[in-house]
Amino acid sequence: MKRHHWWRDAVIYQVYVRSFLDSTGDGVGDLAGVRTGLPYLKKLGVDGVWLSPFYPSPQHDHGYDVANYRDVDPLFGDLAEFDLLMADARRLGLKILLDIVPNHCSSEHPWFRAALAAAAGSEERARFHFAEGRGPDGAEPPNNWHAMFGGPAWTRTGDGQWYLHMFTPEQPDWNWRHPEIPAEFEEVLRFWLDRGVDGFRIDVAAGLFKHPELPDSDDPEADARTRDSVNPLAWNQPEVHEVWRRWRAVCEEYTARDGRERLLVGEVSVPTAREHAAYVRPDELHQAFFFDLLGAPWDADAFRKVISEAMRDIAGTGSTLTWVLNNHDQVRTVTRYGEPAPGGSGLGAARARAAALLMLALPGAAYIYQGEELGLPEVVDLPDDVLTDPVFHRTGSRARVRDGCRVPLPWSGQASPFGFTTGVEGVRTWLPQPDYFAEYATERALADTRSFWHLYRDGLQLRASLPQLGDGDGTLRWLDTEPGVLAFTRGDGLVCAVNFSTAPTTAPVPGTPLLASGPCPAGELPGSTAAWWLADL
């Protein structure tokens, strides 16, 4: 009998802890807030939760600058609160994944502070990338690399050496060729596995190793935050695969003890699906986010090309696919697909609803970013003086600022803080919520059977109950359709179709759909609508 691996078709909900639910009244979400919200996530129907970093941190990049990998920042609670969260999640049958950040740490990490205090050439500095500068008196950076959040990738220290940081100066990159670094991170994994976690989402999973000679880049101006233009000298180096083999072995060791599978899912940004597939070989990562669906324009041919390449180059190796439409670094789906209208209507909302059904019908796993189930739009009118994203402060540009997708969730009521925080008079959420968030509050969504929330919940229930969906037999077969329509079958007679145009067309199969993203009369597929059918084919 074929063994079912829970992670192959799991649906994981990404919790951005700062913005999920605040239990203390300081305007910042915390672990106790996550714990309070677990029954809501269980009701939605997800299989597990991925928590953004909550470790001790000066919060220069909202926790992705880690000062201590084995504790909880007081801003979010403490280890006792984390243990309570784990116990509640286990009782509800929800998996818990932690976000681990192995490419870089905080400039306040004890090892980096020790490196700054030590001399050039010391063992303390060897844990990072310190180098002499170029030019007269070493006043120029060691190479021409640019940081992903703007500016040079090097900062000079008081004694004249430079250190490498591919994100911000507050996030120095680890030197993974130093033997203490892999050993340290294996101990970090064990610390949290011993506390019961079900796995890890790995930040910058294709990074870690840099070219050992740190040569100049041929394209120093490349936008390293886009998948197709990352610096190949600092990304996707071959040695990184041995790290994932070792981490997989650690997870397998724990599974052998109790039969409970632990998951490794990587943020892998590489140019092709074929390169992506190398990270999810049987002895490496279980999953790696496939971002191409997120980046595809709203076009039937573009979606078909992305899905076909993934099925051929990744699923074709026997690996599972891991689909995403949004995360904490991206413009929210509703806004990305078109200008949202009041009350969750408009073309962007219709397309986002259709995309959700499409994603949940594809073979493999799916990740849902918090607020997507409410149809939240991007908050585009945040004033400059409240922006916190280091991208803005490093570049002065709002073009890629991520604050708009991180505004705290609305839960109830007609005015901010919309139930996000306790009733402390005058408390403000860490990012301001717009007045129109009242239209998207969870309380309102639960009461409206036509809401995004009910579409996601119904889709997740069907996905769990129909053997054709989820991992199923891992296959997908395209159907011939009218131009602008994408349709495929899963397993025995489950059909998913999406009309990418705005004009209605004939449904690819007869009958009333099991589920549709909008009103869908029998025999018709309206514009910007997706639907599922059971049919004899």
Side-chain angles (χ1 to χ4, degrees):
M1 181 177 177
K2 182 181 177 181
R3 181 183 180 189
H4 175 72
H5 301 282
W6 68 265
W7 45 269
R8 287 190 63 90
D9 55 6
V11 178
I12 305 295
Y13 186 95
Q14 181 192 352
V15 166
Y16 194 71
V17 177
R18 297 178 66 91
S19 299
F20 186 70
L21 189 59
D22 170 28
S23 71
T24 62
D26 63 357
V28 179
D30 47 49
L31 292 182
V34 176
R35 186 174 159 222
T36 299
L38 288 180
Y40 162 80
L41 299 179
K42 180 67 175 179
K43 185 174 184 179
L44 180 62
V46 299
D47 299 301
V49 179
W50 150 28
L51 300 174
S52 64
F54 51 76
Y55 316 108
S57 164
Q59 303 294 317
H60 290 294
D61 189 20
H62 296 154
Y64 286 91
D65 49 323
V66 181
N68 180 353
Y69 290 88
R70 294 179 177 85
D71 206 347
V72 175
D73 194 299
L75 183 67
F76 303 120
D78 55 26
L79 284 171
E81 184 59 51
F82 175 81
D83 291 340
L84 291 173
L85 169 61
M86 283 300 310
D88 281 7
R90 190 76 61 226
R91 178 176 55 81
L92 291 168
L94 292 170
K95 310 289 187 183
I96 295 291
L97 308 182
L98 303 193
D99 207 324
I100 193 165
V101 189
N103 179 73
H104 50 267
C105 64
S106 166
S107 54
E108 296 187 17
H109 190 286
W111 283 10
F112 188 72
R113 295 173 70 177
L116 290 179
S122 64
E123 196 65 21
E124 289 85 354
R125 290 200 173 185
R127 295 168 175 156
F128 301 91
H129 297 278
F130 280 82
E132 300 296 335
R134 300 191 293 192
D137 302 320
E140 298 296 324
N143 65 30
N144 64 353
W145 295 3
H146 279 233
M148 298 184 182
F149 288 174
W154 295 90
T155 289
R156 200 174 194 189
T157 64
D159 64 2
Q161 277 206 315
W162 298 74
Y163 69 87
L164 179 69
H165 50 82
M166 293 306 297
F167 291 87
T168 72
E170 294 81 19
Q171 295 166 287
D173 281 40
W174 293 108
N175 175 14
W176 272 82
R177 290 189 174 86
H178 191 289
E180 288 187 58
I181 306 308
E184 168 67 6
F185 273 92
E186 285 187 26
E187 291 307 308
V188 169
L189 294 184
R190 293 178 186 280
F191 177 86
W192 293 107
L193 289 168
D194 287 343
R195 299 192 94 91
V197 303
D198 297 284
F200 302 90
R201 177 265 185 187
I202 305 164
D203 190 58
V204 195
L208 276 62
F209 288 87
K210 281 68 181 170
H211 191 290
E213 297 175 8
L214 301 175
D216 276 345
S217 169
D218 292 335
D219 188 9
E221 299 293 335
D223 174 8
R225 290 186 68 239
T226 63
R227 182 182 59 84
D228 294 322
S229 58
V230 293
N231 181 349
L233 301 170
W235 216 261
N236 202 23
Q237 296 287 303
E239 299 96 324
V240 77
H241 294 282
E242 184 54 41
V243 175
W244 308 139
R245 291 186 186 100
R246 181 57 198 157
W247 284 27
R248 180 66 174 260
V250 171
C251 289
E252 298 294 346
E253 175 189 324
Y254 278 78
T255 298
R257 294 180 191 175
D258 59 15
R260 203 160 50 84
E261 291 185 293
R262 275 68 167 186
L263 168 65
L264 298 173
V265 54
E267 182 194 34
V268 172
S269 299
V270 290
T272 67
R274 200 174 298 276
E275 288 173 281
H276 177 112
Y279 284 82
V280 287
R281 288 178 283 205
D283 62 343
E284 294 193 37
L285 303 178
H286 302 80
Q287 297 176 346
F289 297 123
F290 187 66
F291 293 120
D292 296 51
L293 194 68
L294 184 159
W298 185 255
D299 176 83
D301 292 338
F303 267 61
R304 179 164 178 163
K305 180 176 184 293
V306 162
I307 295 168
S308 294
E309 288 179 354
M311 294 298 298
R312 181 193 67 211
D313 295 336
I314 302 173
T317 68
S319 174
T320 187
L321 279 156
T322 307
W323 307 100
V324 291
L325 290 173
N326 197 242
N327 61 40
H328 64 291
D329 288 331
Q330 305 294 330
V331 173
R332 283 201 176 272
T333 312
V334 165
T335 303
R336 198 171 71 244
Y337 286 151
E339 192 65 31
S345 60
L347 189 59
R351 289 172 171 175
R353 291 170 64 93
L357 279 196
L358 169 64
M359 177 179 72
L360 293 177
L362 292 170
Y367 283 69
I368 300 168
Y369 179 50
Q370 67 178 39
E372 292 292 289
E373 83 283 8
L374 303 176
L376 279 182
E378 185 84 355
V379 181
V380 297
D381 54 356
L382 292 169
D384 287 358
D385 62 355
V386 305
L387 294 178
T388 65
D389 193 336
V391 173
F392 174 72
H393 295 291
R394 295 272 291 169
T395 66
S397 170
R398 298 175 63 100
R400 298 178 310 189
V401 169
R402 301 165 294 169
D403 286 320
C405 71
R406 299 175 175 184
V407 175
L409 295 184
W411 290 86
S412 60
Q414 297 298 314
S416 184
F418 298 111
F420 167 76
T421 190
T422 58
V424 178
E425 187 174 352
V427 66
R428 294 184 178 181
T429 56
W430 73 276
L431 282 172
Q433 300 163 305
D435 292 343
Y436 63 76
F437 262 30
E439 301 169 5
Y440 299 91
T442 300
E443 178 182 66
R444 184 167 178 168
L446 290 170
D448 181 3
T449 57
R450 300 165 299 175
S451 70
F452 265 83
W453 192 91
H454 281 273
L455 178 71
Y456 268 93
R457 196 277 306 270
D458 293 348
L460 290 169
Q461 285 186 339
L462 281 172
R463 180 184 164 101
S465 64
L466 294 173
Q468 298 95 324
L469 292 174
D471 198 30
D473 61 5
T475 63
L476 174 154
R477 182 170 63 87
W478 297 108
L479 298 178
D480 293 332
T481 60
E482 298 294 323
V485 176
L486 199 64
F488 56 85
T489 64
R490 293 291 319 280
D492 184 18
L494 191 287
V495 175
C496 173
V498 185
N499 186 352
F500 283 79
S501 75
T502 55
T505 188
T506 303
V509 294
T512 302
L514 284 172
L515 182 63
S517 63
C520 191
E524 184 177 304
L525 185 62
S528 307
T529 297
W532 296 350
W533 292 267
L534 284 175
D536 269 334
L537 297 174

